[in-house]
Structure formats: C-alpha cells, structure tokens
Amino acid sequence: AVVRQVLDNAGLDGEALLAKADDPDVKAELVANTEHAAARGAFGVPTFFVDGEMFWGKERLAQVSEALAS
C-alpha cells in the first residue's frame, strides 16, 4: 500500500505498475536479464557495459559517461 501511494503521489498509476510487477512475463524477463548479466560477468548493481567494457558501482558513472561520449 505504501509503494502504491508513493507511485500515485508521483503521478503514476501505482496499481497498474504493481500489477505489472507481478506479471509472469515481466518476471521471466527479469530472470533472463539477470542471467544474461551474470554470464557477462556482472556481480552487483549498478553494472554498466559500454562497448564490452564493464563498469561497476555508482562511483564509476563518470567513467560510463566518458565511455559513452567517445
């Protein structure tokens, strides 16, 4: 109820978003994405890949930005 209220307060449809989170297709996609990331070497969040190079941790966001700009 708290999450739904926060989403609603942010101008989103909290009920619809929470229902989507329980959708089996959405859950299956999350599992597939997690398995794919682990297979690429990701071991935590946030993990970003830019041109095959892995960046892990929020302190690497500046490096991710630089890699994307080059």
Side-chain angles (χ1 to χ4, degrees), residues 32-65:
N33 287 340
T34 301
E35 290 172 351
H36 179 70
R40 291 181 74 188
F43 54 89
V45 292
T47 299
F48 301 92
F49 292 93
V50 180
D51 294 331
E53 185 175 358
M54 183 174 73
F55 299 89
W56 178 75
K58 67 179 183 176
E59 65 278 358
R60 301 289 182 247
L61 288 175
Q63 292 173 322
V64 170
S65 181

Side-chain angles (χ1 to χ4, degrees), residues 1-60:
V2 172
V3 172
R4 185 178 68 241
Q5 187 62 50
V6 169
L7 293 168
D8 289 341
N9 289 347
L12 303 168
D13 185 344
E15 185 174 342
L17 287 170
L18 291 174
K20 196 70 167 165
D22 280 333
D23 183 297
D25 291 335
V26 171
K27 289 184 179 212
E29 187 173 357
L30 173 61
V31 169
N33 287 340
T34 301
E35 290 172 351
H36 179 70
R40 291 181 74 188
F43 54 89
V45 292
T47 299
F48 301 92
F49 292 93
V50 180
D51 294 331
E53 185 175 358
M54 183 174 73
F55 299 89
W56 178 75
K58 67 179 183 176
E59 65 278 358
R60 301 289 182 247

